[in-house]
Amino acid sequence: MHWGMVIDLRRCIGCHACTVACQVENKLPLNERWNKVFTVGPEGEFPLVTSHFLPRPCMHCQDAPCVDGCPTGASQRRPDGIIIVHGERCIGCKFCMLVCPYGVRQFAAEKGIVQKCHLCYERLERGEMPRCVETCQLKARHAGDLDDPGSEVTALIKQANARPLYPYLGTKPSVYYIFP
Amino acid sequence: MAGNIEVKKAACYFCHMNCGMLVHVEDGVVKKVTGDPEHPFNQGAQCPRGASAIDHLNHINRVNYPLKRVGERGSGNFKRVSWEEALEDIAARLKKYKAEYGAESIATAGGTNRTDDWARRRFFNLLGSPNVVHTSPVCWIPNFLIETAIYGWSAFDPEIMGSRCVVVWGHNPGASYLPEMRGLLEAREKNGTKIIVIDPRYSETAARADIWLPIRPGSDCALALAWLNVIINEELYDADFVENWTVGFEELRERVQEYTPEWAEAKTWVPAERIAMAARTYATSRPACIQWGVATDQLGRATSAVAQARAVLRAICGNLDVPGGDVMPGPHPTFITDVEMELNELLPEEQRAKQLGADRFKLSTWPGYKLLNEQLQRVWGKGLPAEWMCEASPPVLWRAILTGKPYPVKALIVLADNPLSSYANSRLVYEALNKLDLLVVMDYWLTPTAALADYVLPAASWLERPVLTTTYGVSDWLIASERAIQPLYERKTDYDFWRALGIKMGQGEYWPWQTNEEVFQYRLESLGYGLETYEDFVRGVRFDFAPREYYKYLEKGFATPSGKVELKSSILETLGYDPLPHYVEPPFSPEATPELARDYPLILIAGGGFMPFFHSEHRQITRLRLLHPEPRVAINPELAQKLAIKEGDWVWIETPKGKVKQRAKITTAVPPGVVQAERGWWYPEKGVKDLFGIWESNINVCLDDDPDTCDPACGSWCTRTILCRIAKVEG
């Protein structure tokens, strides 16, 4: 079992519902966002322009610099591929934030620890989809088992040639994008 | 230990989609709000507004009790009073105005469908006043009415999944109707549907188009006429349908000869060949549909001309009421629709004649409503709701309040609306609101308009009320949703308000249903499900979609005087308007007002929806506001460089009517000569004494609503093409 995600950038419309629903689900402070959406473009001269949106959750890398770099073992890779932060072990040193190439980790000042997207693993365990997947009006997000050749996510990766962000970093992300 | 947990099937009311929501309620407290997977629109999803619903419900700044003004109007000093005291005084004053000045001296303003609008109309019909206004002239209604005049209902139900080509015209579902946007993208993925987007700006939707036509703002009419020219001259129309089901085709053919693609190129800034190519794509991809978009309802005097040309376009291409085309749903055959609840028949003829603006904007007021309804009754058995489709003109109302002409208007009751931010010419609106003897505002918040009120009444929002979604009673389906919790504090629904006020005004016999649920139950009884309560209906039935019928005209004919599609409209002719499609330039443009263009050389688009906000709402929901903290005006890099404006600079946007500032957003989404400002901005955090900063960034300060510039048929004012100049805010 290897949980992963496919985000279809042909569909994402930049509404930020995933950002907000994630905040509400995980009871985050107003300024902490585990699931930011970036706007890329428009590029080019009017009217010959292009643009798209880029949601950026934790990539759940299988060779995760944040796990390797964590001095207390708070950042861990679960057997199902999800990278989590054990709050009680985190000392807030922020080293993981420094080494994460995707900038997805956030310092929760009032708790003094680092937090980030954990793919709503508690929901997954209850048989529910991550909140960002559930809330997406455009159905741009899909979660599933990357090890299962019959799963929706593996099919999408194959059909649409989905690929991770910055694969050359060698971190083996579990989040794949279908680029427009 | 968990308490008493229930999951309620509610409906979001933060836009028109009314997406289904599952609300987890524990011992009367809302714990969680998620999308309802069984709901056909959102299929379990939510937009950011729906996802933050609990923030809205429990916001510290909600109005929770009736407030009465103490001290000067606008001083922001209120004291808490009881509902009984407020209603007693309001009713006494309304009776006084009615006795002294006539019922027409009492008016009401509404916004965008956050209320049970038929209840407002019922109250006003019983009161005897025709002066109900909404933002309706700039939202949907001109299109609906023009289409109804031409083919007897609005073809507002595009069947995207069955279409080979969808035209998205002046509409950006990528920012405003997300389920609809999903439908578009799925149609293309599954069926290869072509998407044509017509928008001066590179919008979220334009970014996904197969063909994007970036027209000059406000030149939609030229484009539609050129399409007609190409399609008729190249004989790409549906000859059978035209021959059997239309009247006036020869006159149409003659009329459109002057509107060549070359002529349209100069007007639209789109190359003639591209215009022709898009016209051919639309006409030869059958079935095709054209989605309604709000932008063309906001072109001032050019508004209804666009609707007319486009309606004719749909018809001659054979797309009306066909699978995958533009379906005319008609009213729901069985359940009691809005118009049947309004009691329009009780408004006396002499009071109808007093409707403000009815002497000039004849299609959207009683003269047009009467003509249309005669036809609709004959064919559909039901007419259109007067609410929205038969209304006084807001610009005329403001002027009547200020001048006392043609008669005095003393009182205004505002629900689900914030006229200071949502109508053009805000300073004039401000003066009018100040001149009123009585201003009553029912809202969730102390808005800039509420700050001026004599009474501010607390409104229940969608988690606190049931919702019956019927598209204003003009579609053949309904979706029923229940109340998640009883209203908190002393909040009430608008139905509760109108009923309570109605009883005090002596209307008691007409308000027999004590609650929203009772009245909804009454409206649904004729469906024959025989359920005991409204909640039973929601839980057991919830949806009622009448069987889809196509080609209804084969049996019924079209609901027009000739029974056919009137390409040359006899109803428009009777009302004194040009019965054939024709070109109208919007009132403010380099062409219409060249003298103005010398000082105000840029074209301003003063509208367009944007996430995460809807109209002027949600600025106080911190979670959402942090995503979009300030208003932004889109400026092309070339123009920005010329004016030394940098990303994020505060920029003055100035027209002859006034100036406001917004932050520069440097983007190639707009061409160099065009800027687009955001609408609906006020600053809830700025405090009541400054009217929440309503003069700072509210683009409506810059817009004119002079009735002479409004659409002659429907009274629409112009927001989508205004002349302006911009400059960096110094210091």
Side-chain angles (χ1 to χ4, degrees), chain B residues 331-388:
Chain B
H332 195 288
T334 329
F335 101 103
I336 297 177
T337 56
D338 287 25
V339 63
E340 297 166 273
M341 296 296 294
E342 290 178 337
L343 301 179
N344 294 312
E345 62 282 9
L346 297 187
L347 185 67
E349 201 62 53
E350 79 262 23
Q351 289 307 100
R352 293 179 185 184
K354 291 178 189 164
Q355 190 175 39
L356 292 167
D359 53 337
R360 58 191 302 175
F361 307 120
K362 291 195 176 122
L363 189 63
S364 56
T365 50
W366 272 101
Y369 185 71
K370 183 166 171 287
L371 282 185
L372 295 176
N373 262 350
E374 283 165 10
Q375 303 301 325
L376 300 173
Q377 285 290 345
R378 176 173 62 76
V379 169
W380 300 99
K382 294 182 186 185
L384 296 174
E387 192 76 354
W388 298 95

Side-chain angles (χ1 to χ4, degrees), chain B residues 641-674:
Chain B
Q641 196 179 25
K642 206 167 93 185
L643 300 175
I645 293 168
K646 288 195 281 302
E647 176 76 22
D649 282 346
W650 281 104
V651 172
W652 288 116
I653 305 160
E654 188 179 1
T655 71
K657 276 282 146 193
K659 67 176 185 178
V660 296
K661 58 184 181 181
Q662 301 198 353
R663 291 260 196 204
K665 177 183 167 188
I666 313 295
T667 172
T668 49
V670 289
V674 174

Side-chain angles (χ1 to χ4, degrees), chain A residues 10-12 23 131 135, chain B residues 46 48 182 186 208 623:
Chain A
R10 298 169 304 182
R11 285 197 172 210
C12 176
Q23 276 195 331
R131 190 71 179 85
T135 203
Chain B
Q46 288 174 316
R182 183 185 67 237
E186 284 180 354
R208 299 293 193 278
R623 195 186 300 284

Side-chain angles (χ1 to χ4, degrees), chain B residues 203-218:
Chain B
S203 68
E204 287 86 347
T205 310
R208 299 293 193 278
D210 295 291
I211 300 173
W212 168 41
L213 299 176
I215 61 171
R216 172 178 67 104

